[in-house]
Amino acid sequence: MISKRRFVAGAAAATVVPLLSKGGKAAQEEGADFTLRAEQVDLQLSEQGPSTALLRYSGAGALPVIRIRKGAAAAFRIRNDLTEPTSLQWHGLRGIGALDEPTDIPSDSIAPGEDRTARVLPLDPGTAWFHPDPSASNQTARGLRGLLIVEESEPPAVDQDLVALFGDHNLSAGHSLEFGSRGLSNTVATIVTTNGWPSPETVTSALGARLRVRLVNGSTQRVMVVACEGARPVIVAIDGQPSDLFAPVRGVVPIAPGARFDVMLDMPATTDAAVRFVLKGTEAIQGRVEPERPLLVIRTAGPAKAPKPPIAPLDPNPALPREIPLEAAKRVDLVIEGAARSSEDPSVIWTINGIDGRTASKPVLSVRRGDAVTLGFVNKSAMTIPLRFHGLVLRLLHAKDDGWEPYWRDTLLLPPNSSNHAAFLADRPGRWPMTSGFDDLTLAGLRCWIEVKPA
């Protein structure tokens, strides 16, 4: 049995990794090789609580954080030490498609006792993450997650580069856990975590330090509305791509499953001040309403840092177009609906343009490399629908398609009974899936793919 204290003592630097920390996976220039062993571990998550069986990529603490440089080829050897098949799916690497085929049984499925090697050559700097395919969604929810950070050639001048991957962890039934300082006993089977441990994660920072904090929603079922308290955050990147600088409204960021927000902030210049990232609102879990709770707490300590110039934007990605010729764009609307299978079977199937994605044999759109594309999204359901795009990034369009938002996205949130539009330039041939950020919806038919043919 491994207690949280013992586990963290040997791997704390791998859970919230400072820039180029020697405690995590250091940045590699070329030819980097990494081994990820999927295994079950018995962890004691509270001092007096029982142990529970969670899943981990071993050898890197509760959360592997792997850092490489743009253009640095990396090989990932995935060893499956579980008793069931697993897989590896990237989210946030533009151009990666071979591991993301829209099939019931992923082509990269790894049987127990076997291993597979995946090779990656990142096209862009940014924040990405990896996890099993949605068909193994429960493995993700039990802790099988990791971060891949592709660093800029000239990273911005910050004193710390922190990661905070939030998730829902499924625990053994009947597990009892104390929720931080609130002292709320919870006997449900799902908890909210930060970097693989029950929230909050607490770290220290110098007085007046400038921080880059990479916020990632690794949940399979939850849109996380996260507020920053105690500092004024500025968003510098969304879904791995640099954005125009802007402050989130009221300091609150709605993060869809799979989405990533990079923020920069300056810590207070007083000792023992705290900056907190807090999960807002309430969530019903098995009939119990959870309170708002801190996810990440950063406290000041030690000497003060010198005053900094104003936060500057990250360099834009030169590989992405400055403009998209919307007047010449190929256009298709994607109508999303959910309906009960039958009066005898109330479970819901999801369709796109009337087609159940589990049986779809054709792409929803086929274009040539270099084509501009406009996608219309019509959510006819009464729930918020998160969507993920694999290998592509899009611009959200204004209501009249007369402009776009100053950032790129590979995750979208569709409000209930609403319509939205987004555009992209088809720059890489391949079959690029679109799935739901809620894995159960993906498995129930909410998935399709876009085909980009060579020019």
Side-chain angles (χ1 to χ4, degrees):
M1 180 190 304
I2 306 175
S3 70
K4 178 178 179 180
R5 175 174 296 177
R6 288 179 55 202
F7 203 81
V8 171
T15 57
V16 178
V17 183
L19 184 63
L20 301 183
S21 166
K22 298 300 182 182
K25 296 290 188 180
Q28 303 292 320
E29 293 297 334
E30 60 182 350
D33 294 322
F34 303 98
T35 297
L36 299 169
R37 189 169 70 249
E39 65 179 5
Q40 179 174 300
V41 293
D42 292 329
L43 298 181
Q44 186 176 346
L45 299 179
S46 58
E47 292 298 329
Q48 289 81 34
S51 64
T52 189
L54 296 183
L55 305 184
R56 290 283 188 265
Y57 291 115
S58 66
L63 176 73
V65 180
I66 298 173
R67 294 176 181 266
I68 60 176
R69 297 285 189 188
K70 173 190 172 182
F76 294 84
R77 178 175 174 266
I78 306 95
R79 167 75 183 182
N80 184 8
D81 285 342
L82 304 176
T83 59
E84 60 189 16
T86 190
S87 56
L88 183 69
Q89 184 175 79
W90 304 100
H91 189 63
L93 292 183
R94 191 171 60 90
I96 297 294
L99 302 182
D100 289 343
E101 295 295 331
T103 57
D104 282 325
I105 301 175
S107 59
D108 66 320
S109 182
I110 307 167
E114 295 186 352
D115 59 66
R116 188 74 54 86
T117 298
R119 291 175 175 83
V120 172
L121 181 64
L123 300 177
D124 313 314
T127 306
W129 69 298
F130 51 91
H131 53 90
D133 183 88
S135 62
S137 176
N138 188 54
Q139 294 178 3
T140 305
R142 292 177 62 196
L144 217 51
R145 307 179 180 95
L147 280 176
L148 176 63
I149 295 175
V150 184
E151 295 178 331
E152 299 90 351
S153 299
E154 297 183 7
V158 295
D159 297 300
Q160 284 176 282
D161 184 340
L162 305 181
V163 299
L165 188 148
F166 310 127
D168 287 330
H169 272 223
N170 290 349
L171 304 177
S172 303
H175 180 85
S176 181
L177 183 68
E178 297 293 318
F179 277 122
S181 61
R182 293 179 181 270
L184 297 175
S185 179
N186 195 341
T187 58
V188 301
T190 304
I191 61 170
V192 177
T193 59
T194 302
N195 295 325
W197 294 112
S199 301
E201 175 106 37
T202 301
V203 297
T204 59
S205 180
L207 282 65
R210 175 158 294 172
L211 273 54
R212 178 180 188 168
V213 186
R214 303 172 189 258
L215 308 174
V216 182
N217 184 354
S219 170
T220 62
Q221 298 291 337
R222 186 195 300 253
V223 176
M224 295 200 174
V225 179
V226 178
C228 180
E229 301 175 351
R232 300 181 63 182
V234 176
I235 293 174
V236 298
I238 303 178
D239 290 347
Q241 299 295 338
S243 70
D244 287 3
L245 297 183
F246 65 98
V249 178
R250 294 184 294 276
V252 174
V253 181
I255 311 178
R260 291 91 63 217
F261 283 78
D262 289 24
V263 302
M264 287 191 188
L265 58 90
D266 291 332
M267 292 295 293
T270 55
T271 301
D272 202 31
V275 173
R276 307 190 322 155
F277 289 88
V278 180
L279 180 64
K280 304 292 286 185
T282 58
E283 296 286 345
I285 296 181
Q286 296 185 350
R288 184 189 180 103
V289 176
E290 293 185 288
E292 295 179 1
R293 71 170 64 108
L295 299 171
L296 175 66
V297 179
I298 311 168
R299 294 193 175 278
T300 56
K305 294 289 184 177
K308 304 289 194 302
I311 293 172
L314 303 177
D315 292 336
N317 186 351
L320 298 178
R322 296 181 63 87
E323 295 184 356
I324 301 174
L326 298 179
E327 67 280 357
K330 310 279 186 181
R331 298 173 182 266
V332 64
D333 286 339
L334 305 178
V335 180
I336 297 172
E337 297 179 277
R341 299 171 189 268
S342 66
S343 56
E344 293 78 18
D345 184 355
S347 60
V348 174
I349 60 171
W350 289 85
T351 61
I352 299 174
N353 294 344
I355 298 174
D356 181 345
R358 298 169 304 165
T359 59
S361 59
K362 298 180 180 179
V364 295
L365 177 66
S366 181
V367 296
R368 293 287 180 182
R369 183 175 188 175
D371 286 346
V373 178
T374 297
L375 298 178
F377 304 97
V378 182
N379 180 8
K380 288 193 172 184
S381 77
M383 66 181 293
T384 296
I385 301 290
L387 296 179
R388 291 184 187 175
F389 293 85
H390 300 252
L392 300 172
V393 291
L394 306 89
R395 289 272 201 187
L396 277 171
L397 300 181
H398 295 163
K400 296 182 180 180
D401 290 2
D402 56 355
W404 44 74
E405 299 296 341
Y407 46 77
W408 295 90
R409 300 301 312 260
D410 61 28
T411 58
L412 301 180
L413 274 177
L414 307 181
N417 301 304
S418 67
S419 298
N420 293 270
H421 291 81
F424 68 93
L425 198 64
D427 61 341
R428 298 189 67 80
R431 298 170 71 227
W432 306 115
M434 182 192 82
T435 61
S436 174
F438 294 155
D439 284 353
D440 57 341
L441 271 60
T442 297
L443 297 175
L446 208 169
R447 60 195 195 218
C448 63
W449 75 95
I450 297 166
E451 181 181 45
V452 178
K453 298 179 179 179

